[in-house]
């Protein structure tokens, strides 16, 4: 049985990823931090649709201490894949940003995913094929004002994936990044309608990405046939910021 853990399963993109992977026959750990009820409801819904697969809600704060991260991984069943779809942002000029928020963003978006990748590696490499996919951002390539720290964390994921992919390629573990542009999710709901319309005008495809636009590429990267693609960042942006 193929099993993946989807971090941030209750977010807009994470939910779409879980739905698509379930359709492709994956059993899943559905991770959340605060939205436990939503994780349980999604798990129950998928179990009804795919009764021969397992769907297990699981909770972890990405601000947790190192010992808690280790314990979390020790309690997991065997895995073929890990998808990191969690993330936070904060729209501020750097000199107006709370330093604690800077710390949290770096930890949630970059530091903890790196630590978890290392902790999960022994579980993943026990299989004949395994996958790690990080959710990056076009801002990891072309950074954004008011999201400079967020942009730095996403750029860090791309750099980490390039180096880490070289370390684990011989163990049949691929490491890639799917980097969306503007996606129609709650994270972008804080942007005013006027500003969002301006963004849409800049996107050659003429619309925001849907969760399914992103989940498709995650599904492709988790396929067993994708074993020769590693260390890459795939920009799913509708032509925005090319």
């Amino acid at each position: 049985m193929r099993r993946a853990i989807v971090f941030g399963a209750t977010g807009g993109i994470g939910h779409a990823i879980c739905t698509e992977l379930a359709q492709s026959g994956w059993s899943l750990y559905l991770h959340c931090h605060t939205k436990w009820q939503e994780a349980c409801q999604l798990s129950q819904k998928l179990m009804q649709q795919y009764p021969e697969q397992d769907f297990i809600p699981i909770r972890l704060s990405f601000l947790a201490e190192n010992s808690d991260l280790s314990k979390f991984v020790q309690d997991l069943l065997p895995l073929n894949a890990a998808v990191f779809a969690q993330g936070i942002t904060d729209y501020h000029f750097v000199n107006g940003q709370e330093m604690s928020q800077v710390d949290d963003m770096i930890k949630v978006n970059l530091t903890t995913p790196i630590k978890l990748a290392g902790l999960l590696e022994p579980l993943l490499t026990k299989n004949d094929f395994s996958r790690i996919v990080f959710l990056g951002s076009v801002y990891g390539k072309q950074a954004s004002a008011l999201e400079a720290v967020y942009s730095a964390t996403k750029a860090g994921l791309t750099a980490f994936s390039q180096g880490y992919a070289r370390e684990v390629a011989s163990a049949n573990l691929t490491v890639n990044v799917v980097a969306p542009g503007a996606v129609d999710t709650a994270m972008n709901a804080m942007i005013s309608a006027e500003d969002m319309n301006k963004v849409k005008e800049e996107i050659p495809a003429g619309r925001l990405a849907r969760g399914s636009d992103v989940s498709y590429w995650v599904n492709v990267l988790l396929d067993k046939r994708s074993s020769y693609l590693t260390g890459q960042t795939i920009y799913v942006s509708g032509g925005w910021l090319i």
Side-chain angles (χ1 to χ4, degrees):
M1 178 182 291
R2 295 175 300 163
R3 180 178 289 106
I5 183 167
V6 179
F7 293 103
T10 56
I13 296 175
H15 189 288
I17 290 170
C18 291
T19 300
E20 182 134 357
L21 293 182
Q23 290 172 349
S24 294
W26 286 85
S27 291
L28 301 172
Y29 278 114
L30 293 85
H31 160 267
C32 71
H33 175 210
T34 58
K35 298 180 179 179
W36 180 247
Q37 285 300 115
E38 291 183 24
C40 292
Q41 289 169 2
L42 178 57
S43 174
Q44 292 169 1
K45 176 183 176 181
L46 293 175
M47 281 192 288
Q48 290 173 355
Q49 293 177 308
Y50 310 100
E52 295 184 359
Q53 297 157 227
D54 296 332
F55 301 99
I56 305 171
I58 196 164
R59 183 156 41 189
L60 174 73
S61 169
F62 269 53
L63 298 175
E65 298 297 325
N66 292 337
S67 58
D68 294 324
L69 299 181
S70 296
K71 185 178 185 305
F72 174 83
V73 170
Q74 289 168 5
D75 292 337
L76 296 177
L77 295 169
L79 293 172
N80 288 88
V83 180
F84 290 86
Q86 86 305 322
I88 58 174
T89 191
D90 185 34
Y91 295 92
H92 279 99
F93 291 106
V94 173
N95 68 358
Q97 211 157 28
E98 294 289 337
M99 286 188 283
S100 60
Q101 182 65 16
V102 172
D103 291 338
D104 289 354
M105 220 180 317
I106 293 172
K107 194 166 185 179
V108 170
N109 294 357
L110 182 62
T111 309
T112 296
I114 288 173
K115 291 177 180 179
L116 285 171
L119 291 168
L120 288 168
E121 182 183 323
L123 273 178
L124 293 167
T125 54
K126 288 180 180 178
N127 302 292
D128 59 345
F129 82 100
S130 51
R131 307 281 183 259
I132 293 176
V133 177
F134 296 103
L135 264 290
S137 169
V138 292
Y139 288 156
K141 183 177 182 180
Q142 182 174 321
S144 171
L146 298 178
E147 288 187 281
V149 178
Y150 174 82
S151 300
T153 63
K154 296 302 184 178
L157 286 176
T158 287
F160 171 74
S161 296
Q162 290 172 350
Y164 187 46
R166 291 174 177 267
E167 294 182 18
V168 297
S170 62
N172 298 316
L173 171 57
T174 66
V175 186
N176 292 289
V177 178
V178 174
V183 185
D184 188 10
T185 64
M187 181 180 283
N188 287 320
M190 63 185 74
I191 302 174
S192 69
E194 181 181 355
D195 288 341
M196 189 54 72
N197 285 332
K198 290 179 181 177
V199 170
K200 290 179 184 178
E201 291 172 2
E202 295 175 4
I203 300 173
R207 64 173 177 86
L208 300 183
R210 294 181 284 265
S212 59
D213 293 316
V214 182
S215 65
Y216 168 81
W217 289 103
V218 174
N219 194 26
V220 168
L221 290 173
L222 263 59
D223 191 282
K224 190 172 184 178
R225 293 168 292 178
S226 70
S227 61
Y228 206 62
L229 182 76
T230 193
Q232 302 302 306
T233 296
I234 299 173
Y235 294 95
V236 185
S237 65
W240 189 45
L241 300 182
I242 292 178

